[in-house]
Amino acid sequence: MSDARLSVSGAIIYSVQYLRAFAATAVAVYHIGFIFGWEWRPLAAGVDLFFVVSGFIMWSVTAGKSVRPAEFLAHRIIKIVPLYWLFTIIFVVGATLSPGQFDGASSTVSEVTKSLLFIPYSARNGAVEPALAVGWTLNFEMFFYLMFALGLLLKERHRLAYLTVTLGSLMLARFFSSEVAAFKVIASPLLSEFLAGVFIAVWYLSGKALPKAMDTLFIALGVAGIALSFWVEPPEGGFRRALMWGLPAALLLIGALSYERNGTQRKFELLRHIGDASYAIYLSHLITIAFCEYIFDKTGLEPGNEPLSQQLSLFAAVFVACMAVGMACYHALDKPSHQWMKQWLRRYWTQPTANAIPLRS
């Protein structure tokens, strides 16, 4: 889950902010639908869009800069970890105190510890996911950050080849893998989505863009490709998911970047703010949904059995709650704590290397 507000030469890339906003909103809507028995499968592709955008951002914020691996990882950790730990603990406490509400979601001390340390494990339902289910994506993010940080030891002209060979080799090793949970992350074909974002960043930073009209076509193809999963059997993971959702996500990013560079994109500050808060929205929405379900249960409401007009009203209420909680968490917790930790962290990098440029995140 990419968490940085990306800018090049001081200018925010609004298209990236909009895509982050869309990805977080899509995943939230996808999960809200379960309350009503709705399965809007294509919206789950918001995760794949996050992965592609993450690869794009990580390359873009380090390109042309001398960034030490430890510095890079430190910035990633202070952004990702605190909020994730907070919501994981909240979820675990909630699951422990309300076992009926979180049926089958309670975790052992060992599982919670592995969750907090981003160590993949097989849950009791067979899925490789941490205590806070949406955290499975962070296992991928943190592994990608580690591989990316190692690449920072190399000269920039060698980094792209390093990432391609390393991640490509790991994905191929999947064919010889065991059922070890960690291997399902470090050898997952979903790593190709991060790599796609890296290649798009290299292309974008070269100053290129699609011709006008082609940018719109790429966006349309991306949306249509994802929408196909309404009718085609949904991807469970692996190469099928990377093809069905990762490729369209990459087309969306290329099209959106070109659309903005061609000067045809309007600026929507609300979407930019949602993009800023996308990480907080993503982490908090399952807990917000669970609380709404608890309220429905206590008031005797059965959302799946209500008339359509009532369902739509309840859906809107839950959606607004998810967005409001996520935005509030961002402004009250995520943003101020991250800024404070960045200031604290800078004390350890007061003597940057020659030609170094402070890493933005």
Side-chain angles (χ1 to χ4, degrees):
M1 225 50 37
S2 180
D3 51 271
R5 177 191 288 189
L6 177 64
S7 65
V8 175
S9 301
I12 296 172
I13 302 181
Y14 278 80
S15 54
V16 172
Q17 291 294 95
Y18 297 165
L19 289 178
R20 292 173 62 208
F22 170 76
T25 303
V27 174
V29 170
Y30 173 70
H31 287 136
I32 294 171
F34 291 162
I35 299 177
F36 306 91
W38 304 337
E39 187 179 356
W40 295 331
R41 291 194 300 262
L43 297 180
V47 166
D48 304 79
L49 183 55
F50 268 131
F51 285 171
V52 174
V53 168
S54 182
F56 175 85
I57 291 178
M58 293 307 105
W59 183 272
S60 298
V61 298
T62 55
K65 304 175 178 67
S66 177
V67 181
R68 288 165 286 193
E71 181 186 4
F72 173 83
L73 288 175
H75 277 272
R76 294 300 90 214
I77 288 171
I78 66 173
K79 179 58 184 173
I80 293 292
V81 171
L83 207 62
Y84 174 60
W85 281 12
L86 173 65
F87 284 116
T88 294
I89 292 170
I90 291 173
F91 184 83
V92 170
V93 171
T96 302
L97 298 179
S98 305
Q101 184 67 22
F102 300 95
D103 187 29
S106 59
S107 303
T108 65
V109 173
S110 174
E111 290 172 341
V112 173
T113 302
K114 290 178 180 178
S115 297
L116 297 177
L117 296 178
F118 305 99
I119 299 173
Y121 65 90
S122 295
R124 275 164 284 182
N125 62 2
V128 180
E129 60 184 27
L132 182 63
V134 293
W136 72 269
T137 60
L138 298 184
N139 289 341
F140 282 85
E141 289 277 355
M142 294 302 284
F143 178 69
F144 172 68
Y145 294 158
L146 178 60
M147 293 295 99
F148 194 93
L150 292 175
L152 295 175
L153 294 170
L154 304 173
K155 293 183 178 180
E156 186 171 339
R157 64 177 179 269
H158 300 310
R159 292 175 191 169
L160 184 60
Y162 154 77
L163 286 171
T164 303
V165 172
T166 302
L167 296 182
S169 298
L170 287 171
M171 286 184 281
L172 290 176
R174 180 174 183 265
F175 294 108
F176 308 100
S177 72
S178 64
E179 291 301 311
V180 177
F183 208 82
K184 292 182 179 179
V185 172
I186 67 175
S188 172
L190 295 184
L191 295 173
S192 65
E193 297 176 351
F194 294 98
L195 191 58
V198 168
F199 273 95
I200 293 171
V202 173
W203 168 80
Y204 180 77
L205 293 176
S206 70
K208 297 177 182 178
L210 296 172
K212 286 189 176 182
M214 284 293 291
D215 49 18
T216 307
L217 176 61
F218 267 55
I219 293 172
L221 287 174
V223 172
I226 292 173
L228 279 177
S229 56
F230 264 127
W231 301 279
V232 180
E233 182 181 354
E236 294 296 332
F239 288 103
R240 181 178 173 85
R241 176 167 183 156
L243 179 63
M244 288 186 64
W245 285 347
L247 178 58
L251 294 178
L252 271 175
L253 179 57
I254 295 170
L257 290 168
S258 298
Y259 195 78
E260 180 173 7
R261 177 160 279 173
N262 289 333
T264 50
Q265 179 172 277
R266 295 176 59 187
K267 295 181 179 179
F268 300 95
E269 289 301 315
L270 176 60
L271 286 179
R272 181 178 68 82
H273 286 304
I274 295 175
D276 286 338
S278 59
Y279 182 56
I281 293 170
Y282 180 78
L283 286 182
S284 65
H285 78 274
L286 282 185
I287 297 174
T288 305
I289 291 171
F291 181 76
C292 290
E293 287 185 289
Y294 174 80
I295 297 298
F296 294 156
D297 182 62
K298 290 300 181 181
T299 55
L301 280 173
E302 297 182 8
N305 297 325
E306 300 295 331
L308 181 59
S309 59
Q310 183 80 350
Q311 288 184 342
L312 294 176
S313 297
L314 293 174
F315 174 88
V318 178
F319 176 76
V320 170
C322 288
M323 301 302 289
V325 170
M327 295 289 284
C329 288
Y330 170 71
H331 287 289
L333 297 173
D334 188 25
K335 184 178 180 180
S337 65
H338 185 222
Q339 289 177 338
W340 178 83
M341 283 185 284
K342 280 201 299 184
Q343 292 175 354
W344 176 80
L345 193 61
R346 286 194 185 103
R347 299 175 187 175
Y348 296 92
W349 279 282
T350 54
Q351 299 295 327
T353 56
N355 301 321
I357 300 176
L359 179 64
R360 293 193 58 176
S361 59

